[in-house]
Amino acid sequence: MSAPSRYATRTAPRRARRALALGPGLAVLCAVLAVVAFLSVTQGSRSIGLSDVLRALGSLDNDGSITSTVTLELRVPRTLLGILVGAALGVAGAILQGVTRNPLADAGIMGINSGAAAFVVFAITVLGVRGVGVYVWFAFIGAAGALVLVYAIASLGREGATPVKLALAGAAVTAGLASVTTGIVMTNVDALNELRFWQVGSLAGRYAPILVGVAPFLLVALAVSMFFGRALNGLALGEDVARGLGQHVTRTRAAAFAVVAVLAGAATAACGPIVFVGLVVPHLARFICGPDYRWILPYSMLLAPIVLLLADVVGRVVAAPDELQVGVVLGVVGAPAFVAIVRYARLSEV
Amino acid sequence: MRAWRTVVAVAALSAVLAGCGDDSSGGGDSAAAAPAGPWSFTDGSGQVVKADKTPTRIIAHAGEAAALMSFGIKPVGIFADESVKTDPNLKNLDLTGIEILGEEWGKIDVEKAAALRPDLIVGDWWPAEKAHSGMEEGVDEKSKKLAELAPVVGVSQGKSIVALADGYEDLAASLGAKVDSPEIAANKKRFEDSVAAFKQAVAGKADLTVAAMSPADDKVYVANPEYAPELLDLQSWGLKVINPASPDPGFPYWENLSWENADKYQPDLILWDGRSFTATANAEWGKKQPTWFKIKAAKAGAVVAWPAFWLHTYGDFATELDKLTEAVKAADPNVGA
C-alpha cells in the first residue's frame, strides 16, 4: 500500500505545478495576442497616426476618410482573418503531428494545401465557380481527399504509416497535385489569375467577404478540436497502447483528419497555402507544455496567430509602400526553423 | 509573387495590337526571296549575331511575330503569353501554317520547336532583366532551352517605341523583306499624323497629369516610364506621366503599392493596363477594394485603356495613340488636384 501512495505524492505536485503554470500561461498568450492584434491594426504599409486609428475604432463608422477606410475596411478584417487562419493552421498542425506521430507533419507537407488548391482550380476552370464562399467547399473536398490519399499510400506495406513514409507520401502527392494544377492552369488564363492567390500565402487583398465566408467553419472546427487532447495523448503512446486504453484508433484518426481537413481547407481557401506555421508552432507549444495535447492544442491555437500576425505586420512595415506576403516572411523564418527541427528534434518524443 | 510581377510586366510585351490587323497585314508574302547571306544583325543587347546564310525558318514571340508579319515575313512558329485566340497581338492575323509553341507566359514547347528546325529565334531584348522574351527569369527552365536551337535576336525594349518599330523594320529588311511598300509608308504617315494630333491635344492640357496603373488582387502597380518605351514617348511628346518614386528594385518596371497606399498618386487621368481594362473594370475595383476610389480620378471615372502593350509597328501605335488623344482631349486637369 505504501509504495503506490509514495509514487502518487512524488508525481502529483509536479503535475499540479505544471498545470498551475500553464493555465495562467494561456491568459498571458491571450494578452500577447491582443497586443499583436493591436499592432496589426495600428501598423501597416501606410503610416496612420494612432489617434486616427483610435478614432476610427472608437466610432466603428467609416467617415469616408482614407485613414478610417484603411483601418476599418482593410486592417480590422485582415487582423481578424489572420487570427482565425493562424489558429486554424496551428491547431491543424498540432493534430496532424499527434495523429500521425510525425514531427514533420503539417498541412503543407501532408499534401492538404495542394489538394485544396487543386480542387479550387478545378472548380474555377471546369465548373466556372467564383467567390470564396464557394471555393471553401472545394478546398475542403480537396484537403480531405489529399489527406486520405497520403495516409492510404503511407499505410501500404508492413510497418504501416510511419513518419518517414507519411512525409514521402505527402511529398509525392503534393508534387502530383501541383502538376495537375499546373496542367489545368496552362490551358486557362482565368485560372492562372485566380491561382496567383495560391502561389504564396497572403493575407493581403482578401478582406471582409472572405472573413465572413470562412469564419463559421473555422470557429466550429476550432471548438471541436479542443476536445481531441485526450485522444491524441493516447495515440502518442502508439496504436497498440491506445487500443489497450480502450480507444477506437481508426475512429479517432478519422475524426481528427476530418477536423484538420476543415481547418486547413478553410484556411487555404482564404489565404492560399501558408506553410511553416502549422509545422513550427506545435513544436513551440510542445516545448512549453510538454507532451500533453490537452495543453498543446490551446497553446498552438494562441501561438500560431501571434506568429502569423507578427509575420504579416513585419511584411507590411519593412516593404512599405509595398507589402511582402506573409508566406514569404514565414518562409524566411520558417525554413531555418524547419531545418533545426529536422536536425535536433528527438523525433521519437512526439 | 515574383512570378506574378513578372507576368504583369512581361506578358505586356506581347502587346495588344488592337484593331490593327488590317494595317499589319501589309507587305504581302514578299519575303520568300531571302538573300543568301552571310547574315548579321545587331541584337538589342549590343551583340552582333551572325549566320552563314540568311535565316528563313523563324520562331518568334507573339508581338515580334506580328511585327515581322507586317513586313511579309511569316514565322514557322510562334510562342505567345496567352491563348493565340485572345492574344491581341495576333488579332486578325492569319496563323494557318504557323506552329503554336506556347500559349502561356514562361511555357514554350521546346520539343515542338526543335522539330521545326528553326534558324532564328526572335524575342524582344529587355534591358532591365538582360534577357530576351521567353528566356526571362521566372520562366520554365525547360523553355529557356529554346535559345539552344538557334541564335536569338530582338530589338531592345529601350527608350522609345518608335525605335522598337524601326528596329523590327531593320530586322525585316536584313531578312530580305521589302520595307518600302506603299502600305508601310502609309502606316508611317498615319503614325506621324497621330503623333502631331496627340502633341496638339496635350499642349491644350498643360496641367494634366496621368499615371499608368494596373490594379491587382493584392496590390496596385504603377508603371515606371523609365522602363516603358511607350510612356517615354508619351512624355517626350509632352504628356505628364507620373514617374513613381520608388520602383521595385528587383523588377523596376513598376512601383508596387499595397492597397493601403493605393492613393499615393493623384493623377487627373488613369492610364489603365490595357490587358485588364474593360468598360466595367473601374466600377468593379471600386466595389472590390475600398481604397481604389480614394484615387480621385478613379472615383471620377477618368480612366482610359493604356496601350500598355509594347507595340511593335507604326500602324498599331497610331491606332492606340488616337484613342489616347481622345481621352486627353476629354480629360479634366483638375480631378487629381
Side-chain angles (χ1 to χ4, degrees):
Chain A
M1 266 322 265
S2 64
S5 74
R6 219 168 45 229
Y7 178 76
T9 51
R10 224 189 310 156
T11 54
R14 219 172 122 209
R15 232 182 238 156
R17 208 167 46 232
R18 178 151 247 179
L20 269 181
L22 289 177
L26 280 179
V28 170
L29 281 188
C30 284
V32 174
L33 181 55
V35 170
V36 174
F38 183 73
L39 269 180
S40 170
V41 173
T42 53
Q43 303 300 314
S45 54
R46 185 187 192 94
S47 136
I48 300 180
L50 189 60
S51 59
D52 284 330
V53 172
L54 294 178
R55 193 179 317 126
L57 288 176
S59 68
L60 282 183
D61 184 31
N62 187 352
D63 60 12
S65 68
I66 181 80
T67 51
S68 182
T69 303
V70 167
T71 306
L72 294 177
E73 294 194 40
L74 300 189
R75 289 191 189 167
V76 169
R78 178 181 193 145
T79 303
L80 292 175
L81 192 63
I83 293 174
L84 269 181
V85 164
L89 293 172
V91 170
I95 293 181
L96 268 181
Q97 289 176 10
V99 88
T100 61
R101 303 182 68 209
N102 177 359
L104 302 183
D106 88 334
I109 291 166
M110 295 291 287
I112 295 174
N113 291 337
S114 51
F119 264 67
V120 169
V121 170
F122 170 77
I124 292 164
T125 49
V126 180
L127 308 175
V129 161
R130 291 288 183 277
V132 73
V134 192
Y135 289 172
V136 82
W137 293 101
F138 288 93
F140 291 156
I141 299 169
L147 200 47
V148 169
L149 191 60
V150 166
Y151 201 81
I153 293 172
S155 301
L156 295 175
R158 232 182 340 190
E159 318 86 351
T162 63
V164 170
K165 282 166 71 184
L166 277 168
L168 289 175
V173 169
T174 299
L177 287 171
S179 65
V180 170
T181 306
T182 312
I184 296 177
V185 168
M186 267 184 80
T187 59
N188 189 310
V189 178
D190 279 354
L192 176 67
N193 291 331
E194 298 278 345
L195 189 79
R196 287 178 186 138
F197 270 133
W198 306 89
Q199 288 180 331
V200 184
S202 170
L203 295 174
R206 308 141 223 264
Y207 305 115
I210 297 166
L211 180 65
V212 172
V214 298
F217 299 103
L218 290 179
L219 288 172
V220 170
L222 281 171
V224 170
S225 67
M226 289 302 115
F227 294 99
F228 275 91
R230 186 179 292 273
L232 291 177
N233 283 345
L235 280 182
L237 300 172
E239 268 183 52
D240 295 340
V241 180
R243 258 190 215 102
L245 291 171
Q247 269 193 29
H248 196 302
V249 172
T250 312
R251 206 170 354 175
T252 307
R253 279 212 173 118
F257 279 155
V259 170
V260 168
V262 173
L263 289 172
T268 307
C271 298
I274 296 178
V275 289
F276 293 123
V277 172
L279 174 71
V280 174
V281 164
H283 287 278
L284 201 56
R286 200 172 290 114
F287 179 75
I288 299 171
C289 311
D292 188 343
Y293 274 93
R294 285 171 300 177
W295 289 110
I296 291 175
L297 290 177
Y299 265 78
S300 296
M301 187 168 74
L302 291 171
L303 281 168
I306 291 171
V307 170
L308 188 68
L309 281 186
L310 271 181
D312 188 43
V313 171
V314 167
R316 283 188 271 163
V317 174
V318 297
D322 193 358
E323 288 180 354
L324 283 180
Q325 286 147 313
V326 68
V328 173
V329 179
L330 284 170
V332 170
V333 182
F338 183 87
V339 173
I341 289 167
V342 171
R343 294 202 51 184
Y344 302 115
R346 292 160 67 187
L347 304 187
S348 59
E349 270 192 3
V350 172
Chain B
M1 181 53 208
R2 187 171 165 91
W4 154 220
R5 282 179 297 162
T6 311
V7 168
V8 169
V10 176
L13 93 146
S14 90
V16 173
L17 300 181
C20 308
D22 37 345
D23 309 319
S24 43
S25 61
D29 293 317
S30 54
W39 174 87
S40 79
F41 184 75
T42 307
D43 182 50
S45 65
Q47 300 225 328
V48 180
V49 178
K50 289 183 178 142
D52 296 336
K53 45 184 198 119
T54 304
T56 51
R57 302 187 61 82
I58 298 164
I59 289 177
H61 186 238
E64 296 84 314
L68 292 176
M69 287 169 81
S70 78
F71 295 108
I73 294 177
K74 195 170 181 181
V76 292
I78 285 180
F79 58 100
D81 296 334
E82 59 179 289
S83 164
V84 294
K85 291 194 195 78
T86 57
D87 191 322
N89 285 295
L90 305 172
K91 211 174 181 178
N92 302 328
L93 288 182
D94 179 13
L95 301 181
T96 45
I98 299 177
E99 194 83 51
I100 305 305
L101 303 170
E103 299 189 82
E104 185 195 339
W105 182 81
K107 306 228 188 277
I108 303 168
D109 188 336
V110 177
E111 270 182 43
K112 228 177 179 183
L116 293 174
R117 293 174 290 106
D119 46 20
L120 188 67
I121 315 283
V122 177
D124 288 339
W125 171 258
W126 293 85
E129 291 175 281
K130 301 202 181 347
H132 289 99
S133 287
M135 290 129 211
E136 305 96 328
E137 187 186 330
V139 309
D140 253 18
E141 280 306 312
K142 271 184 282 178
S143 6
K144 286 190 186 169
K145 294 207 183 293
L146 181 68
E148 294 168 16
L149 299 179
V152 186
V153 298
V155 179
S156 177
Q157 283 282 359
K159 298 296 176 198
S160 165
I161 208 85
V162 183
L164 190 69
D166 279 342
Y168 280 104
E169 185 175 319
D170 292 345
L171 177 61
S174 83
L175 293 169
K178 273 203 316 201
V179 294
D180 49 2
S181 76
E183 283 139 295
I184 291 166
N187 275 332
K188 267 193 184 168
K189 173 77 174 68
R190 195 159 72 83
F191 170 70
E192 278 153 22
D193 293 347
S194 295
V195 171
F198 180 79
K199 280 182 177 166
Q200 199 182 2
V202 169
K205 291 279 164 75
D207 297 330
L208 188 79
T209 60
V210 306
M213 304 178 81
S214 184
D217 285 316
D218 56 350
K219 46 188 94 168
V220 182
Y221 297 83
V222 183
N224 178 13
E226 193 184 341
Y227 291 105
E230 80 285 16
L231 292 179
L232 286 177
D233 284 339
L234 300 182
Q235 282 182 334
S236 76
W237 297 330
L239 186 63
K240 294 196 180 67
V241 185
I242 292 172
N243 292 302
S246 45
D248 182 344
F251 199 67
Y253 300 98
W254 307 87
E255 172 169 345
N256 312 329
L257 298 176
S258 72
W259 277 106
E260 292 194 3
N261 292 299
D263 66 335
K264 180 171 175 184
Y265 302 106
Q266 290 290 354
D268 302 307
L269 174 67
I270 293 172
L271 306 186
W272 191 303
D273 189 334
R275 288 160 298 157
S276 59
F277 184 77
T278 63
T280 54
N282 189 48
E284 281 162 18
W285 280 102
K287 238 170 139 181
K288 198 160 147 188
Q289 281 294 351
T291 53
W292 178 247
F293 277 171
K294 298 296 171 194
I295 308 169
K296 293 172 196 160
K299 176 105 176 157
V303 297
V304 57
W306 152 44
F309 3 84
W310 285 251
L311 303 168
H312 288 71
T313 69
Y314 295 111
D316 297 336
F317 201 40
T319 305
E320 289 306 313
L321 197 57
D322 288 347
K323 292 182 200 163
L324 204 54
T325 303
E326 289 311 308
V328 166
K329 278 188 194 159
D332 172 1
N334 298 313
V335 169

